[in-house]
Amino acid sequence: MTVIDDRPGVATGFEIAPIAGYIGAEISGVDLAGELDEATATRLRQALLDHKVLFFRDQPLDHAAQIRFSRHFGKVTPAHPYDYNAPEGYPEILEVDSRKYAARGGARKYSYANFWHTDVSALVNPPAVTFLRSELVPDVGGDTTWTNLAAAYANLPDSLKTFVDGLRAEHRFGGRQKRWEAGSDAEQNVTTKPIVTEHPVVRVHPETGERGLFVTPGFTSRILGVSPAQSDRILDLLFEEVTNPAYTVRVRWQNNSIGVWDNRITAHLAPADLDHLDVVRVLYRTTVEGDVPVGVDGEPSRSVVGSAFHGAD
């Protein structure tokens, strides 16, 4: 089903084409490089709440235009809590460039995190929205997959919902296991500047009121208040739910594509099918400042180590 917004008073109509049963839509008929009128920006923000992930094609933006577009959704943050050498003059841009991974002397990689995760959920206020712009992508492979955490929660049995509603979990980089090479920049960062937060297992979305399973293998390390063995079993159960293919959408990148996702109610999986290929993949990420998650009981997340991550006014 394609929805065309041609209502009177809307300065710029655009089409919304859902692309999976629970999550995702492609948007056409809007030029993100130009100045968006407020009516269009409002409709895009609502589309994001409705579909969780939006995908735009044929949008040849530069860094400045990407940052300008991101600001329609909130305060744009620095590139990452750990400074990953943003492009000069654009501290908001995180480069996802396979050539730079190779230059570091490690195994060739194509993403900072090719495991299921919600962006930087180790923070007490993880980013609200993430934007990823493709500049150079391979002809084959390199897809990204997203999952709808609200759908994962909604389809649990009522008895299990009641159980997880009251749980809290610890989030840290790597989750239950180390995911970085010895001596790497990542190891240095998480060792010398750890970021750890206790979040509700079920997060209430601040705008829609939806409840979502706020746990992922990439960051969630343990369930609080239970034994390690019990924690592992609970997390295994929840990880299986949030990564259920029924709740996902997989998108094929093309040059000059832009993906936008609600980081408060989704998780995503970067590609793992490129390491054996001699190809280049270059994308650029921006994020906007998030709120502190709140659980079903109304209690907010609690920072154990690290500070909140703020954007500029």
Side-chain angles (χ1 to χ4, degrees), residues 139-209:
D139 294 331
V140 175
D143 299 356
T144 300
T145 306
W146 289 267
T147 187
N148 183 338
L149 300 179
Y153 175 84
N155 285 288
L156 291 175
D158 288 343
S159 57
L160 192 50
K161 288 179 184 175
T162 300
F163 173 62
V164 298
D165 280 349
L167 296 179
R168 297 255 154 179
E170 178 186 87
H171 289 231
R172 61 173 65 236
F173 281 86
R176 290 188 288 183
Q177 58 185 292
K178 292 183 178 180
R179 301 176 184 271
W180 46 83
E181 298 177 10
S184 65
D185 291 344
E187 183 186 52
Q188 177 73 7
N189 283 328
V190 300
T191 301
T192 62
K193 298 178 290 184
I195 302 173
V196 182
T197 296
E198 295 174 356
H199 288 302
V201 166
V202 179
R203 177 180 185 176
V204 179
H205 194 286
E207 296 187 68
T208 67

Side-chain angles (χ1 to χ4, degrees), residues 111-164:
S111 171
Y112 285 98
N114 54 349
F115 41 82
W116 281 105
H117 66 285
T118 294
D119 280 332
V120 207
S121 69
L123 289 167
V124 71
N125 65 327
V129 184
T130 300
F131 309 77
L132 193 60
R133 167 175 58 96
S134 60
E135 179 177 273
L136 184 60
V137 295
D139 294 331
V140 175
D143 299 356
T144 300
T145 306
W146 289 267
T147 187
N148 183 338
L149 300 179
Y153 175 84
N155 285 288
L156 291 175
D158 288 343
S159 57
L160 192 50
K161 288 179 184 175
T162 300
F163 173 62
V164 298

Side-chain angles (χ1 to χ4, degrees), residues 253-272:
W253 289 97
Q254 299 168 354
N255 293 344
N256 298 321
S257 298
I258 297 177
V260 181
W261 60 93
D262 189 334
N263 198 55
R264 299 164 293 188
I265 203 71
T266 64
H268 57 283
L269 179 67

